[in-house]
Amino acid sequence: EEACRALLLLDGPTASAQAALQRASAPMVAKLGQVVRPGEYCCGTCSVSVWRHMAAGGLDGADQQCWLEGGLRTLVAHRTGDGRWRRYPFYYTVLALTEIGLPGAREELRYAAPALERAARRDPGQEVYAVRRRALAERALAQL
């Protein structure tokens, strides 16, 4: 899903890149059509990857609006009460929420705001992933 998303964002300049995107997307669109609850794929991480792909404009044979809204409803159902969600990796989910242009995404960012504020205050030191997590927290908070 992430590779397809990257091709879309890079506007896959070659015919072979476009063909690869089509070959990879077609079976996924078919699988998504068989899912009982749109918005949820096999696990939290895979669900978020599908949302990000759709938010970038991919998987256009699937009902993107239905899937993204279903995913946002799923997040509400998986809230833990502390700004996080069961099943869904926190920072990956926040990253997806910053890319989904729906009101429900902003609502979920508001829900996550206390955890994001804590992350934004943390000193990341020199640890590269901590620096990235802090930057993401700041970017997400700026959208509120």
Side-chain angles (χ1 to χ4, degrees):
E1 297 311 307
E2 289 295 336
C4 289
R5 178 182 171 278
L7 280 174
L8 286 166
L9 293 176
L10 293 171
D11 197 21
T14 65
S16 63
Q18 290 297 324
L21 184 57
Q22 287 297 334
R23 281 192 312 274
S25 295
M28 187 62 177
V29 169
K31 285 181 185 179
L32 295 177
Q34 298 170 354
V35 172
V36 175
R37 285 188 295 221
E40 291 184 62
Y41 197 55
C42 68
C43 65
T45 301
C46 289
S47 295
V48 173
S49 72
V50 169
W51 304 340
R52 281 176 41 93
H53 188 174
M54 286 182 174
L59 300 170
D60 58 357
D63 186 346
Q64 295 165 326
Q65 184 82 12
C66 177
W67 260 86
L68 292 173
E69 289 174 352
L72 294 170
R73 282 191 303 275
T74 298
L75 282 179
V76 171
H78 283 88
R79 288 179 176 179
T80 60
D82 62 354
R84 295 176 178 270
W85 306 271
R86 282 181 305 281
R87 287 186 70 216
Y88 296 90
F90 181 72
Y91 289 102
Y92 193 38
T93 303
V94 168
L95 181 61
L97 292 171
T98 65
E99 299 167 354
I100 297 172
L102 294 173
R106 183 169 286 182
E107 290 172 26
E108 287 307 294
L109 286 174
R110 273 194 216 93
Y111 163 74
L116 291 168
E117 288 166 355
R118 287 189 300 275
R121 285 192 304 266
R122 231 175 265 129
D123 178 13
Q126 298 300 312
E127 205 274 305
V128 67
Y129 294 111
V131 171
R132 292 177 185 172
R133 288 189 296 267
R134 182 177 182 175
L136 175 59
E138 291 169 351
R139 186 172 62 218
L141 289 168
Q143 288 189 7
L144 299 179

PDB file of all heavy atoms in Angstrom, residues 91-130:
ATOM      1  N   TYR A  91       1.502   6.525  16.173  1.00  0.00           N
ATOM      2  CA  TYR A  91       2.068   7.539  15.280  1.00  0.00           C
ATOM      3  C   TYR A  91       1.689   7.301  13.820  1.00  0.00           C
ATOM      4  O   TYR A  91       1.475   8.254  13.068  1.00  0.00           O
ATOM      5  CB  TYR A  91       3.588   7.616  15.452  1.00  0.00           C
ATOM      6  CG  TYR A  91       3.948   8.239  16.779  1.00  0.00           C
ATOM      7  CD1 TYR A  91       4.353   7.450  17.855  1.00  0.00           C
ATOM      8  CD2 TYR A  91       3.859   9.615  16.979  1.00  0.00           C
ATOM      9  CE1 TYR A  91       4.662   8.017  19.078  1.00  0.00           C
ATOM     10  CE2 TYR A  91       4.163  10.185  18.207  1.00  0.00           C
ATOM     11  CZ  TYR A  91       4.566   9.385  19.241  1.00  0.00           C
ATOM     12  OH  TYR A  91       4.856   9.949  20.448  1.00  0.00           O
ATOM     13  N   TYR A  92       1.593   6.066  13.420  1.00  0.00           N
ATOM     14  CA  TYR A  92       1.184   5.758  12.046  1.00  0.00           C
ATOM     15  C   TYR A  92      -0.265   6.210  11.825  1.00  0.00           C
ATOM     16  O   TYR A  92      -0.601   6.777  10.790  1.00  0.00           O
ATOM     17  CB  TYR A  92       1.351   4.256  11.795  1.00  0.00           C
ATOM     18  CG  TYR A  92       1.271   3.816  10.349  1.00  0.00           C
ATOM     19  CD1 TYR A  92       1.808   4.565   9.320  1.00  0.00           C
ATOM     20  CD2 TYR A  92       0.676   2.601  10.027  1.00  0.00           C
ATOM     21  CE1 TYR A  92       1.751   4.137   8.007  1.00  0.00           C
ATOM     22  CE2 TYR A  92       0.618   2.155   8.718  1.00  0.00           C
ATOM     23  CZ  TYR A  92       1.154   2.931   7.707  1.00  0.00           C
ATOM     24  OH  TYR A  92       1.097   2.510   6.402  1.00  0.00           O
ATOM     25  N   THR A  93      -1.096   5.993  12.820  1.00  0.00           N
ATOM     26  CA  THR A  93      -2.489   6.419  12.728  1.00  0.00           C
ATOM     27  C   THR A  93      -2.586   7.937  12.694  1.00  0.00           C
ATOM     28  O   THR A  93      -3.341   8.507  11.891  1.00  0.00           O
ATOM     29  CB  THR A  93      -3.299   5.837  13.907  1.00  0.00           C
ATOM     30  OG1 THR A  93      -3.164   4.411  13.885  1.00  0.00           O
ATOM     31  CG2 THR A  93      -4.762   6.210  13.813  1.00  0.00           C
ATOM     32  N   VAL A  94      -1.831   8.608  13.542  1.00  0.00           N
ATOM     33  CA  VAL A  94      -1.819  10.075  13.541  1.00  0.00           C
ATOM     34  C   VAL A  94      -1.363  10.589  12.183  1.00  0.00           C
ATOM     35  O   VAL A  94      -1.950  11.532  11.633  1.00  0.00           O
ATOM     36  CB  VAL A  94      -0.940  10.627  14.684  1.00  0.00           C
ATOM     37  CG1 VAL A  94      -0.678  12.118  14.512  1.00  0.00           C
ATOM     38  CG2 VAL A  94      -1.592  10.346  16.033  1.00  0.00           C
ATOM     39  N   LEU A  95      -0.325   9.975  11.623  1.00  0.00           N
ATOM     40  CA  LEU A  95       0.144  10.373  10.299  1.00  0.00           C
ATOM     41  C   LEU A  95      -0.983  10.270   9.274  1.00  0.00           C
ATOM     42  O   LEU A  95      -1.212  11.194   8.483  1.00  0.00           O
ATOM     43  CB  LEU A  95       1.331   9.506   9.884  1.00  0.00           C
ATOM     44  CG  LEU A  95       1.956   9.816   8.520  1.00  0.00           C
ATOM     45  CD1 LEU A  95       2.505  11.236   8.475  1.00  0.00           C
ATOM     46  CD2 LEU A  95       3.057   8.808   8.228  1.00  0.00           C
ATOM     47  N   ALA A  96      -1.710   9.173   9.292  1.00  0.00           N
ATOM     48  CA  ALA A  96      -2.831   9.006   8.365  1.00  0.00           C
ATOM     49  C   ALA A  96      -3.894  10.069   8.597  1.00  0.00           C
ATOM     50  O   ALA A  96      -4.433  10.643   7.642  1.00  0.00           O
ATOM     51  CB  ALA A  96      -3.432   7.610   8.510  1.00  0.00           C
ATOM     52  N   LEU A  97      -4.194  10.355   9.851  1.00  0.00           N
ATOM     53  CA  LEU A  97      -5.222  11.353  10.162  1.00  0.00           C
ATOM     54  C   LEU A  97      -4.848  12.734   9.637  1.00  0.00           C
ATOM     55  O   LEU A  97      -5.726  13.508   9.241  1.00  0.00           O
ATOM     56  CB  LEU A  97      -5.481  11.398  11.665  1.00  0.00           C
ATOM     57  CG  LEU A  97      -6.145  10.154  12.252  1.00  0.00           C
ATOM     58  CD1 LEU A  97      -6.151  10.214  13.778  1.00  0.00           C
ATOM     59  CD2 LEU A  97      -7.560   9.974  11.709  1.00  0.00           C
ATOM     60  N   THR A  98      -3.551  13.044   9.616  1.00  0.00           N
ATOM     61  CA  THR A  98      -3.137  14.348   9.091  1.00  0.00           C
ATOM     62  C   THR A  98      -3.319  14.439   7.579  1.00  0.00           C
ATOM     63  O   THR A  98      -3.311  15.535   7.027  1.00  0.00           O
ATOM     64  CB  THR A  98      -1.660  14.669   9.438  1.00  0.00           C
ATOM     65  OG1 THR A  98      -0.805  13.732   8.785  1.00  0.00           O
ATOM     66  CG2 THR A  98      -1.431  14.671  10.943  1.00  0.00           C
ATOM     67  N   GLU A  99      -3.504  13.291   6.930  1.00  0.00           N
ATOM     68  CA  GLU A  99      -3.637  13.253   5.468  1.00  0.00           C
ATOM     69  C   GLU A  99      -5.071  13.075   5.004  1.00  0.00           C
ATOM     70  O   GLU A  99      -5.360  13.285   3.826  1.00  0.00           O
ATOM     71  CB  GLU A  99      -2.779  12.109   4.924  1.00  0.00           C
ATOM     72  CG  GLU A  99      -1.307  12.257   5.229  1.00  0.00           C
ATOM     73  CD  GLU A  99      -0.509  11.002   4.968  1.00  0.00           C
ATOM     74  OE1 GLU A  99      -1.102   9.948   4.654  1.00  0.00           O
ATOM     75  OE2 GLU A  99       0.718  11.059   5.068  1.00  0.00           O
ATOM     76  N   ILE A 100      -5.943  12.653   5.894  1.00  0.00           N
ATOM     77  CA  ILE A 100      -7.342  12.390   5.521  1.00  0.00           C
ATOM     78  C   ILE A 100      -8.124  13.689   5.694  1.00  0.00           C
ATOM     79  O   ILE A 100      -8.214  14.223   6.795  1.00  0.00           O
ATOM     80  CB  ILE A 100      -7.945  11.270   6.390  1.00  0.00           C
ATOM     81  CG1 ILE A 100      -7.200   9.964   6.146  1.00  0.00           C
ATOM     82  CG2 ILE A 100      -9.440  11.112   6.103  1.00  0.00           C
ATOM     83  CD1 ILE A 100      -7.595   8.840   7.096  1.00  0.00           C
ATOM     84  N   GLY A 101      -8.667  14.180   4.624  1.00  0.00           N
ATOM     85  CA  GLY A 101      -9.363  15.465   4.655  1.00  0.00           C
ATOM     86  C   GLY A 101     -10.834  15.349   4.993  1.00  0.00           C
ATOM     87  O   GLY A 101     -11.673  15.888   4.267  1.00  0.00           O
ATOM     88  N   LEU A 102     -11.157  14.673   6.069  1.00  0.00           N
ATOM     89  CA  LEU A 102     -12.553  14.537   6.494  1.00  0.00           C
ATOM     90  C   LEU A 102     -12.700  15.076   7.911  1.00  0.00           C
ATOM     91  O   LEU A 102     -11.764  14.994   8.710  1.00  0.00           O
ATOM     92  CB  LEU A 102     -12.978  13.064   6.468  1.00  0.00           C
ATOM     93  CG  LEU A 102     -13.028  12.384   5.103  1.00  0.00           C
ATOM     94  CD1 LEU A 102     -13.305  10.897   5.254  1.00  0.00           C
ATOM     95  CD2 LEU A 102     -14.086  13.035   4.228  1.00  0.00           C
ATOM     96  N   PRO A 103     -13.875  15.605   8.252  1.00  0.00           N
ATOM     97  CA  PRO A 103     -14.079  16.144   9.602  1.00  0.00           C
ATOM     98  C   PRO A 103     -13.786  15.122  10.705  1.00  0.00           C
ATOM     99  O   PRO A 103     -13.253  15.477  11.748  1.00  0.00           O
ATOM    100  CB  PRO A 103     -15.557  16.551   9.611  1.00  0.00           C
ATOM    101  CG  PRO A 103     -15.916  16.741   8.179  1.00  0.00           C
ATOM    102  CD  PRO A 103     -15.057  15.790   7.401  1.00  0.00           C
ATOM    103  N   GLY A 104     -14.101  13.857  10.482  1.00  0.00           N
ATOM    104  CA  GLY A 104     -13.849  12.827  11.479  1.00  0.00           C
ATOM    105  C   GLY A 104     -12.371  12.664  11.789  1.00  0.00           C
ATOM    106  O   GLY A 104     -11.997  12.322  12.913  1.00  0.00           O
ATOM    107  N   ALA A 105     -11.516  12.926  10.815  1.00  0.00           N
ATOM    108  CA  ALA A 105     -10.072  12.831  11.040  1.00  0.00           C
ATOM    109  C   ALA A 105      -9.625  13.916  12.011  1.00  0.00           C
ATOM    110  O   ALA A 105      -8.839  13.656  12.925  1.00  0.00           O
ATOM    111  CB  ALA A 105      -9.313  12.946   9.721  1.00  0.00           C
ATOM    112  N   ARG A 106     -10.151  15.107  11.849  1.00  0.00           N
ATOM    113  CA  ARG A 106      -9.809  16.196  12.768  1.00  0.00           C
ATOM    114  C   ARG A 106     -10.334  15.897  14.169  1.00  0.00           C
ATOM    115  O   ARG A 106      -9.670  16.162  15.169  1.00  0.00           O
ATOM    116  CB  ARG A 106     -10.365  17.513  12.262  1.00  0.00           C
ATOM    117  CG  ARG A 106      -9.957  18.667  13.173  1.00  0.00           C
ATOM    118  CD  ARG A 106     -10.258  19.970  12.576  1.00  0.00           C
ATOM    119  NE  ARG A 106      -9.261  20.169  11.514  1.00  0.00           N
ATOM    120  CZ  ARG A 106      -9.189  21.249  10.773  1.00  0.00           C
ATOM    121  NH1 ARG A 106     -10.028  22.217  10.956  1.00  0.00           N
ATOM    122  NH2 ARG A 106      -8.272  21.369   9.850  1.00  0.00           N
ATOM    123  N   GLU A 107     -11.515  15.293  14.242  1.00  0.00           N
ATOM    124  CA  GLU A 107     -12.066  14.917  15.551  1.00  0.00           C
ATOM    125  C   GLU A 107     -11.169  13.903  16.248  1.00  0.00           C
ATOM    126  O   GLU A 107     -10.932  13.995  17.460  1.00  0.00           O
ATOM    127  CB  GLU A 107     -13.475  14.346  15.396  1.00  0.00           C
ATOM    128  CG  GLU A 107     -14.505  15.371  14.994  1.00  0.00           C
ATOM    129  CD  GLU A 107     -15.846  14.747  14.652  1.00  0.00           C
ATOM    130  OE1 GLU A 107     -16.152  13.644  15.161  1.00  0.00           O
ATOM    131  OE2 GLU A 107     -16.575  15.368  13.865  1.00  0.00           O
ATOM    132  N   GLU A 108     -10.634  12.953  15.492  1.00  0.00           N
ATOM    133  CA  GLU A 108      -9.735  11.965  16.093  1.00  0.00           C
ATOM    134  C   GLU A 108      -8.404  12.601  16.502  1.00  0.00           C
ATOM    135  O   GLU A 108      -7.817  12.207  17.510  1.00  0.00           O
ATOM    136  CB  GLU A 108      -9.520  10.771  15.162  1.00  0.00           C
ATOM    137  CG  GLU A 108     -10.724   9.858  15.080  1.00  0.00           C
ATOM    138  CD  GLU A 108     -11.205   9.397  16.444  1.00  0.00           C
ATOM    139  OE1 GLU A 108     -10.474   8.650  17.124  1.00  0.00           O
ATOM    140  OE2 GLU A 108     -12.311   9.786  16.845  1.00  0.00           O
ATOM    141  N   LEU A 109      -7.949  13.578  15.746  1.00  0.00           N
ATOM    142  CA  LEU A 109      -6.746  14.300  16.161  1.00  0.00           C
ATOM    143  C   LEU A 109      -7.007  15.071  17.458  1.00  0.00           C
ATOM    144  O   LEU A 109      -6.137  15.125  18.332  1.00  0.00           O
ATOM    145  CB  LEU A 109      -6.268  15.245  15.060  1.00  0.00           C
ATOM    146  CG  LEU A 109      -5.588  14.589  13.864  1.00  0.00           C
ATOM    147  CD1 LEU A 109      -5.286  15.624  12.783  1.00  0.00           C
ATOM    148  CD2 LEU A 109      -4.320  13.858  14.271  1.00  0.00           C
ATOM    149  N   ARG A 110      -8.205  15.640  17.592  1.00  0.00           N
ATOM    150  CA  ARG A 110      -8.554  16.319  18.851  1.00  0.00           C
ATOM    151  C   ARG A 110      -8.552  15.329  20.008  1.00  0.00           C
ATOM    152  O   ARG A 110      -8.092  15.629  21.093  1.00  0.00           O
ATOM    153  CB  ARG A 110      -9.925  16.988  18.738  1.00  0.00           C
ATOM    154  CG  ARG A 110      -9.866  18.363  18.169  1.00  0.00           C
ATOM    155  CD  ARG A 110     -11.187  19.117  18.388  1.00  0.00           C
ATOM    156  NE  ARG A 110     -11.436  19.952  17.239  1.00  0.00           N
ATOM    157  CZ  ARG A 110     -12.150  19.626  16.179  1.00  0.00           C
ATOM    158  NH1 ARG A 110     -12.741  18.470  16.111  1.00  0.00           N
ATOM    159  NH2 ARG A 110     -12.294  20.451  15.177  1.00  0.00           N
ATOM    160  N   TYR A 111      -9.084  14.137  19.758  1.00  0.00           N
ATOM    161  CA  TYR A 111      -9.075  13.089  20.777  1.00  0.00           C
ATOM    162  C   TYR A 111      -7.633  12.756  21.176  1.00  0.00           C
ATOM    163  O   TYR A 111      -7.329  12.561  22.356  1.00  0.00           O
ATOM    164  CB  TYR A 111      -9.796  11.830  20.253  1.00  0.00           C
ATOM    165  CG  TYR A 111      -9.488  10.600  21.063  1.00  0.00           C
ATOM    166  CD1 TYR A 111     -10.033  10.427  22.332  1.00  0.00           C
ATOM    167  CD2 TYR A 111      -8.615   9.627  20.584  1.00  0.00           C
ATOM    168  CE1 TYR A 111      -9.722   9.310  23.092  1.00  0.00           C
ATOM    169  CE2 TYR A 111      -8.308   8.518  21.330  1.00  0.00           C
ATOM    170  CZ  TYR A 111      -8.866   8.357  22.581  1.00  0.00           C
ATOM    171  OH  TYR A 111      -8.547   7.260  23.344  1.00  0.00           O
ATOM    172  N   ALA A 112      -6.740  12.682  20.193  1.00  0.00           N
ATOM    173  CA  ALA A 112      -5.347  12.317  20.447  1.00  0.00           C
ATOM    174  C   ALA A 112      -4.510  13.487  20.969  1.00  0.00           C
ATOM    175  O   ALA A 112      -3.352  13.292  21.351  1.00  0.00           O
ATOM    176  CB  ALA A 112      -4.716  11.767  19.169  1.00  0.00           C
ATOM    177  N   ALA A 113      -5.071  14.682  20.996  1.00  0.00           N
ATOM    178  CA  ALA A 113      -4.305  15.882  21.351  1.00  0.00           C
ATOM    179  C   ALA A 113      -3.538  15.765  22.676  1.00  0.00           C
ATOM    180  O   ALA A 113      -2.367  16.158  22.725  1.00  0.00           O
ATOM    181  CB  ALA A 113      -5.205  17.116  21.351  1.00  0.00           C
ATOM    182  N   PRO A 114      -4.121  15.233  23.767  1.00  0.00           N
ATOM    183  CA  PRO A 114      -3.328  15.138  25.005  1.00  0.00           C
ATOM    184  C   PRO A 114      -2.061  14.296  24.838  1.00  0.00           C
ATOM    185  O   PRO A 114      -0.985  14.675  25.309  1.00  0.00           O
ATOM    186  CB  PRO A 114      -4.298  14.500  26.006  1.00  0.00           C
ATOM    187  CG  PRO A 114      -5.656  14.846  25.488  1.00  0.00           C
ATOM    188  CD  PRO A 114      -5.515  14.848  23.987  1.00  0.00           C
ATOM    189  N   ALA A 115      -2.166  13.178  24.140  1.00  0.00           N
ATOM    190  CA  ALA A 115      -0.988  12.333  23.902  1.00  0.00           C
ATOM    191  C   ALA A 115      -0.008  13.041  22.967  1.00  0.00           C
ATOM    192  O   ALA A 115       1.211  12.943  23.140  1.00  0.00           O
ATOM    193  CB  ALA A 115      -1.406  10.986  23.329  1.00  0.00           C
ATOM    194  N   LEU A 116      -0.532  13.758  21.983  1.00  0.00           N
ATOM    195  CA  LEU A 116       0.330  14.494  21.061  1.00  0.00           C
ATOM    196  C   LEU A 116       1.050  15.638  21.777  1.00  0.00           C
ATOM    197  O   LEU A 116       2.225  15.906  21.501  1.00  0.00           O
ATOM    198  CB  LEU A 116      -0.494  15.037  19.890  1.00  0.00           C
ATOM    199  CG  LEU A 116      -1.029  13.987  18.917  1.00  0.00           C
ATOM    200  CD1 LEU A 116      -2.065  14.588  17.987  1.00  0.00           C
ATOM    201  CD2 LEU A 116       0.113  13.350  18.143  1.00  0.00           C
ATOM    202  N   GLU A 117       0.353  16.294  22.693  1.00  0.00           N
ATOM    203  CA  GLU A 117       0.986  17.381  23.453  1.00  0.00           C
ATOM    204  C   GLU A 117       2.133  16.850  24.303  1.00  0.00           C
ATOM    205  O   GLU A 117       3.194  17.480  24.397  1.00  0.00           O
ATOM    206  CB  GLU A 117      -0.054  18.099  24.308  1.00  0.00           C
ATOM    207  CG  GLU A 117      -0.995  18.947  23.473  1.00  0.00           C
ATOM    208  CD  GLU A 117      -2.238  19.406  24.221  1.00  0.00           C
ATOM    209  OE1 GLU A 117      -2.444  18.989  25.391  1.00  0.00           O
ATOM    210  OE2 GLU A 117      -2.999  20.185  23.628  1.00  0.00           O
ATOM    211  N   ARG A 118       1.926  15.695  24.912  1.00  0.00           N
ATOM    212  CA  ARG A 118       3.017  15.079  25.692  1.00  0.00           C
ATOM    213  C   ARG A 118       4.203  14.754  24.785  1.00  0.00           C
ATOM    214  O   ARG A 118       5.357  15.001  25.135  1.00  0.00           O
ATOM    215  CB  ARG A 118       2.523  13.820  26.409  1.00  0.00           C
ATOM    216  CG  ARG A 118       1.624  14.103  27.595  1.00  0.00           C
ATOM    217  CD  ARG A 118       1.340  12.847  28.408  1.00  0.00           C
ATOM    218  NE  ARG A 118       0.689  11.780  27.664  1.00  0.00           N
ATOM    219  CZ  ARG A 118      -0.624  11.668  27.465  1.00  0.00           C
ATOM    220  NH1 ARG A 118      -1.445  12.578  27.949  1.00  0.00           N
ATOM    221  NH2 ARG A 118      -1.118  10.650  26.793  1.00  0.00           N
ATOM    222  N   ALA A 119       3.916  14.216  23.621  1.00  0.00           N
ATOM    223  CA  ALA A 119       4.982  13.857  22.677  1.00  0.00           C
ATOM    224  C   ALA A 119       5.720  15.100  22.182  1.00  0.00           C
ATOM    225  O   ALA A 119       6.934  15.068  21.999  1.00  0.00           O
ATOM    226  CB  ALA A 119       4.400  13.079  21.500  1.00  0.00           C
ATOM    227  N   ALA A 120       4.995  16.185  21.976  1.00  0.00           N
ATOM    228  CA  ALA A 120       5.617  17.416  21.484  1.00  0.00           C
ATOM    229  C   ALA A 120       6.516  18.061  22.541  1.00  0.00           C
ATOM    230  O   ALA A 120       7.470  18.762  22.196  1.00  0.00           O
ATOM    231  CB  ALA A 120       4.541  18.398  21.035  1.00  0.00           C
ATOM    232  N   ARG A 121       6.222  17.817  23.811  1.00  0.00           N
ATOM    233  CA  ARG A 121       7.036  18.385  24.899  1.00  0.00           C
ATOM    234  C   ARG A 121       8.289  17.553  25.194  1.00  0.00           C
ATOM    235  O   ARG A 121       9.244  18.050  25.773  1.00  0.00           O
ATOM    236  CB  ARG A 121       6.201  18.498  26.180  1.00  0.00           C
ATOM    237  CG  ARG A 121       5.209  19.629  26.174  1.00  0.00           C
ATOM    238  CD  ARG A 121       4.635  19.846  27.559  1.00  0.00           C
ATOM    239  NE  ARG A 121       4.025  18.664  28.136  1.00  0.00           N
ATOM    240  CZ  ARG A 121       2.742  18.346  28.063  1.00  0.00           C
ATOM    241  NH1 ARG A 121       1.908  19.139  27.418  1.00  0.00           N
ATOM    242  NH2 ARG A 121       2.282  17.255  28.630  1.00  0.00           N
ATOM    243  N   ARG A 122       8.259  16.283  24.811  1.00  0.00           N
ATOM    244  CA  ARG A 122       9.371  15.383  25.101  1.00  0.00           C
ATOM    245  C   ARG A 122      10.640  15.802  24.362  1.00  0.00           C
ATOM    246  O   ARG A 122      10.589  16.142  23.188  1.00  0.00           O
ATOM    247  CB  ARG A 122       8.985  13.968  24.653  1.00  0.00           C
ATOM    248  CG  ARG A 122       9.190  12.932  25.708  1.00  0.00           C
ATOM    249  CD  ARG A 122       8.693  11.560  25.278  1.00  0.00           C
ATOM    250  NE  ARG A 122       7.335  11.363  25.769  1.00  0.00           N
ATOM    251  CZ  ARG A 122       6.304  10.978  25.038  1.00  0.00           C
ATOM    252  NH1 ARG A 122       6.444  10.704  23.774  1.00  0.00           N
ATOM    253  NH2 ARG A 122       5.126  10.832  25.573  1.00  0.00           N
ATOM    254  N   ASP A 123      11.753  15.755  25.043  1.00  0.00           N
ATOM    255  CA  ASP A 123      13.043  16.049  24.406  1.00  0.00           C
ATOM    256  C   ASP A 123      13.480  14.800  23.646  1.00  0.00           C
ATOM    257  O   ASP A 123      13.746  13.768  24.253  1.00  0.00           O
ATOM    258  CB  ASP A 123      14.082  16.422  25.460  1.00  0.00           C
ATOM    259  CG  ASP A 123      15.448  16.694  24.853  1.00  0.00           C
ATOM    260  OD1 ASP A 123      15.535  16.834  23.609  1.00  0.00           O
ATOM    261  OD2 ASP A 123      16.419  16.753  25.615  1.00  0.00           O
ATOM    262  N   PRO A 124      13.579  14.896  22.324  1.00  0.00           N
ATOM    263  CA  PRO A 124      13.935  13.708  21.543  1.00  0.00           C
ATOM    264  C   PRO A 124      15.419  13.370  21.571  1.00  0.00           C
ATOM    265  O   PRO A 124      15.813  12.292  21.125  1.00  0.00           O
ATOM    266  CB  PRO A 124      13.494  14.081  20.132  1.00  0.00           C
ATOM    267  CG  PRO A 124      13.624  15.565  20.089  1.00  0.00           C
ATOM    268  CD  PRO A 124      13.297  16.042  21.484  1.00  0.00           C
ATOM    269  N   GLY A 125      16.223  14.296  22.063  1.00  0.00           N
ATOM    270  CA  GLY A 125      17.654  14.044  22.034  1.00  0.00           C
ATOM    271  C   GLY A 125      18.129  13.878  20.600  1.00  0.00           C
ATOM    272  O   GLY A 125      17.658  14.574  19.705  1.00  0.00           O
ATOM    273  N   GLN A 126      19.019  12.947  20.376  1.00  0.00           N
ATOM    274  CA  GLN A 126      19.577  12.712  19.039  1.00  0.00           C
ATOM    275  C   GLN A 126      18.947  11.504  18.351  1.00  0.00           C
ATOM    276  O   GLN A 126      19.334  11.159  17.241  1.00  0.00           O
ATOM    277  CB  GLN A 126      21.091  12.511  19.142  1.00  0.00           C
ATOM    278  CG  GLN A 126      21.820  13.721  19.691  1.00  0.00           C
ATOM    279  CD  GLN A 126      21.616  14.949  18.812  1.00  0.00           C
ATOM    280  OE1 GLN A 126      21.756  14.878  17.598  1.00  0.00           O
ATOM    281  NE2 GLN A 126      21.258  16.063  19.424  1.00  0.00           N
ATOM    282  N   GLU A 127      18.006  10.843  19.011  1.00  0.00           N
ATOM    283  CA  GLU A 127      17.401   9.631  18.457  1.00  0.00           C
ATOM    284  C   GLU A 127      16.512  10.016  17.271  1.00  0.00           C
ATOM    285  O   GLU A 127      15.550  10.760  17.426  1.00  0.00           O
ATOM    286  CB  GLU A 127      16.604   8.922  19.553  1.00  0.00           C
ATOM    287  CG  GLU A 127      16.448   7.433  19.330  1.00  0.00           C
ATOM    288  CD  GLU A 127      15.258   7.114  18.447  1.00  0.00           C
ATOM    289  OE1 GLU A 127      14.159   7.537  18.769  1.00  0.00           O
ATOM    290  OE2 GLU A 127      15.471   6.440  17.425  1.00  0.00           O
ATOM    291  N   VAL A 128      16.852   9.531  16.087  1.00  0.00           N
ATOM    292  CA  VAL A 128      16.220   9.973  14.855  1.00  0.00           C
ATOM    293  C   VAL A 128      14.696   9.739  14.850  1.00  0.00           C
ATOM    294  O   VAL A 128      13.945  10.601  14.412  1.00  0.00           O
ATOM    295  CB  VAL A 128      16.905   9.343  13.615  1.00  0.00           C
ATOM    296  CG1 VAL A 128      16.693   7.843  13.563  1.00  0.00           C
ATOM    297  CG2 VAL A 128      16.411   9.996  12.351  1.00  0.00           C
ATOM    298  N   TYR A 129      14.241   8.610  15.354  1.00  0.00           N
ATOM    299  CA  TYR A 129      12.801   8.345  15.332  1.00  0.00           C
ATOM    300  C   TYR A 129      12.066   9.199  16.349  1.00  0.00           C
ATOM    301  O   TYR A 129      10.933   9.612  16.120  1.00  0.00           O
ATOM    302  CB  TYR A 129      12.521   6.849  15.521  1.00  0.00           C
ATOM    303  CG  TYR A 129      13.038   6.048  14.356  1.00  0.00           C
ATOM    304  CD1 TYR A 129      14.113   5.186  14.502  1.00  0.00           C
ATOM    305  CD2 TYR A 129      12.483   6.184  13.091  1.00  0.00           C
ATOM    306  CE1 TYR A 129      14.614   4.476  13.418  1.00  0.00           C
ATOM    307  CE2 TYR A 129      12.964   5.479  12.010  1.00  0.00           C
ATOM    308  CZ  TYR A 129      14.030   4.628  12.176  1.00  0.00           C
ATOM    309  OH  TYR A 129      14.521   3.940  11.098  1.00  0.00           O
ATOM    310  N   ALA A 130      12.701   9.489  17.456  1.00  0.00           N
ATOM    311  CA  ALA A 130      12.083  10.374  18.446  1.00  0.00           C
ATOM    312  C   ALA A 130      11.927  11.781  17.871  1.00  0.00           C
ATOM    313  O   ALA A 130      10.915  12.449  18.115  1.00  0.00           O
ATOM    314  CB  ALA A 130      12.915  10.397  19.727  1.00  0.00           C
TER     315      ALA A 130
END
